[in-house]
Amino acid sequence: MIEIKNLTKDYIGFSGVMDRLLSSISFGLLGGKIRFRALENINFRCGKGEIVGIIGQNGAGKSTLLKLLTGVSQTSSGSISISGNIRSILELGVGFNPELSGEENVYYNGLVWGFRLDEIEEVTERVFEFSNLNEFRKTPIKNYSSGMIMRLGFALATATVPEVLIVDEALAVGDAIFQQKSLEKFREFKEAGSATLIVSHDLTLLAQICDRIILLDKGKLIYDGLPQMAIQEYMKQIADTSWQKKLDPNKDVQSPIQFQCKFIKADIINPTLVFVGDLVDWEITYFLNEPIPQLTIGIHIDHSNGIRVYGTNTFQNDILLDNLEINKEYKLRFQFPINLAPGKYSIGLSLHQGDNHTMNCYFWGEGLHSFEVERVGIPKFTGLTYLPIKIIL
């Protein structure tokens, strides 16, 4: 189990040579006038059998948090309590000797990671079988590809069930087959009672395996909860680095665009139940309060588990919305068939310039309408997408 209470981490900088010298001779009591707070008052816990993801933009404090958890760095204040043996996967392959064979590296790195000799002998076969590198076990690591090294490192790190597992960007290991094996390994650890903490930028993978996701922003924990909601908050956070904050972050500036949305099936407005194959429209009525150089209108559909099913916009479809008049009403419809698997979905909207909402975003909305998809009159299928397949004999 991992429990963090009121965790704060400050980094100290120096204004010049004399400031650094003063800090050295006073054993840190004086000098160090420049301070940067990387983490501030962080509180959360990760219990047994729980997988918790951590997301955030660059500079949010994710790497600092991992360094504190793994003992690489010390806290400024607050406490970290970890029950059980810790296994960390921070950089796969780091510590491997290129002159040694794969088997020799498993042996020596196993000792460094705290495996007993009898444990290393027991897990070696499993490591090479899991990584699919049996025929290369006597080959020097310097002749491995980067993917092979990562697979070997991951297989060794997950060879036995840890009580606490800390992972940094190690979910996208190897090819698609090995990636699925890796995800299954995390699920096995969950069933065995491991407390797992994962930092990653791959939101889709986190949505698949995490019980909760924590969102960090500039060293502060701003959300801790359901994966879908955490991902939505993260996307809003990215969109908020927009025109409004560039103008004046302290003023409530009116958006230059006013709009309304409708989800339409036949003549039904905003239905909450649709069927696989139904033709629907996502209609946006909008007008401008002030001139803008160019407008992009986007749509995105999310599954209830947080996975983005589909997204597109007018810019990507070569539809240019420029030279728009002020106070004139415009309408636009995204029309599409519900080629989705049965389940619960939500639909959102973005208004911005260019290809995506990370630059000059006027509006980003998640879950503006929720609906459920049912299957009637078509064969059962697996996956999130329905394809009207014909089987020809």
Side-chain angles (χ1 to χ4, degrees):
M1 184 187 75
I2 303 171
E3 188 167 10
I4 292 176
K5 293 181 178 179
N6 304 318
L7 178 63
T8 296
K9 175 62 178 177
D10 292 328
Y11 287 106
I12 300 174
F14 304 95
S15 58
V17 177
M18 295 305 297
D19 190 32
R20 184 183 293 273
L21 180 61
L22 180 61
S23 177
S24 298
I25 62 178
S26 66
F27 299 98
L29 296 176
L30 301 174
K33 298 177 181 178
I34 302 173
R35 291 180 180 267
F36 171 73
R37 179 150 291 181
L39 292 171
E40 182 176 353
N41 196 33
I42 304 296
N43 292 274
F44 73 88
R45 70 187 301 276
C46 178
K48 293 182 178 180
E50 191 173 22
I51 301 178
V52 177
I54 301 177
I55 60 176
Q57 299 182 67
N58 293 333
K62 304 185 299 297
S63 296
T64 299
L65 179 58
L66 292 190
K67 289 177 182 178
L68 297 174
L69 288 169
T70 53
V72 175
S73 183
Q74 299 299 312
T75 64
S76 298
S77 63
S79 64
I80 297 175
S81 175
I82 300 179
S83 303
N85 65 301
I86 306 173
R87 186 85 43 77
S88 59
I89 310 176
L90 302 183
E91 289 188 55
L92 293 172
V94 171
F96 283 163
N97 188 326
E99 300 300 325
L100 299 180
S101 69
E103 190 172 71
E104 290 168 331
N105 269 290
V106 167
Y107 182 89
Y108 288 112
N109 276 273
L111 289 176
V112 170
W113 283 1
F115 286 103
R116 300 189 309 272
L117 285 175
D118 58 328
E119 284 182 318
I120 295 175
E121 294 175 1
E122 182 183 338
V123 303
T124 298
E125 292 299 325
R126 295 206 303 269
V127 167
F128 283 98
E129 183 178 349
F130 185 85
S131 60
N132 198 26
L133 293 172
N134 260 317
E135 58 185 302
F136 303 102
R137 59 193 301 166
K138 301 296 184 182
T139 303
I141 284 286
K142 64 182 179 182
N143 295 326
Y144 281 29
S145 68
S146 58
M148 292 166 68
I149 294 173
M150 291 177 68
R151 279 155 49 196
L152 185 64
F154 184 89
L156 177 59
T158 59
T160 59
V161 179
E163 292 175 285
V164 176
L165 179 63
I166 299 173
V167 184
D168 184 15
E169 292 293 358
L171 289 179
V173 178
D175 55 24
I177 296 175
F178 190 80
Q179 189 177 91
Q180 288 303 313
K181 289 170 66 176
S182 302
L183 294 179
E184 285 301 318
K185 181 67 74 171
F186 285 113
R187 295 187 180 104
E188 288 176 17
F189 287 173
K190 173 182 173 65
E191 292 178 2
S194 298
T196 305
L197 203 61
I198 302 175
V199 171
S200 180
H201 288 284
D202 195 326
L203 304 181
T204 301
L205 286 175
L206 289 180
Q208 290 182 53
I209 63 172
C210 289
D211 301 297
R212 291 166 31 229
I213 291 182
I214 289 168
L215 175 59
L216 297 178
D217 181 37
K218 298 177 182 177
K220 296 181 180 180
L221 193 157
I222 63 173
Y223 184 83
D224 179 359
L226 294 173
Q228 181 187 16
M229 298 303 297
I231 292 171
Q232 289 182 3
E233 288 296 321
Y234 179 54
M235 299 304 291
K236 289 179 184 177
Q237 184 189 89
I238 294 174
D240 280 345
T241 57
S242 64
W243 62 278
Q244 181 171 340
K245 295 202 171 186
K246 291 174 185 175
L247 291 174
D248 190 338
N250 299 314
K251 291 184 179 179
D252 186 14
V253 183
Q254 184 185 27
S255 171
I257 305 171
Q258 300 296 313
F259 65 90
Q260 289 183 332
C261 300
K262 293 179 184 178
F263 186 62
I264 305 170
K265 171 190 168 183
D267 294 327
I268 305 173
I269 305 298
N270 294 330
T272 56
L273 177 64
V274 295
F275 297 96
V276 178
D278 280 350
L279 188 66
V280 299
D281 291 277
W282 181 236
E283 181 183 276
I284 301 95
T285 303
Y286 64 97
F287 65 89
L288 272 57
N289 295 318
E290 60 185 71
I292 61 172
Q294 182 265 333
L295 175 64
T296 297
I297 300 178
I299 179 179
H300 49 271
I301 301 172
D302 296 332
H303 191 269
S304 59
N305 62 11
I307 295 175
R308 176 129 305 163
V309 177
Y310 183 76
T312 190
N313 61 45
T314 52
F315 187 92
Q316 294 168 352
N317 286 272
D318 297 323
I319 298 174
L320 297 180
L321 302 176
D322 50 11
N323 299 318
L324 298 174
E325 299 179 23
I326 299 175
N327 296 324
K328 179 179 177 180
E329 184 176 276
Y330 293 92
K331 283 189 178 182
L332 182 141
R333 285 190 178 200
F334 292 93
Q335 187 174 84
F336 56 94
I338 298 293
N339 285 354
L340 301 172
K344 295 180 179 180
Y345 299 85
S346 64
I347 190 166
L349 175 74
S350 61
L351 303 172
H352 53 85
Q353 291 183 29
D355 179 60
N356 60 72
H357 71 285
T358 59
M359 295 290 289
N360 295 324
C361 184
Y362 304 114
F363 176 81
W364 178 272
E366 298 279 358
L368 298 185
H369 179 71
S370 298
F371 59 95
E372 187 168 356
V373 177
E374 293 287 356
R375 176 180 61 88
V376 175
I378 63 171
K380 186 177 180 181
F381 61 95
T382 59
L384 285 178
T385 303
Y386 167 66
L387 298 178
I389 295 291
K390 289 184 178 180
I391 301 177
I392 302 173
L393 297 176

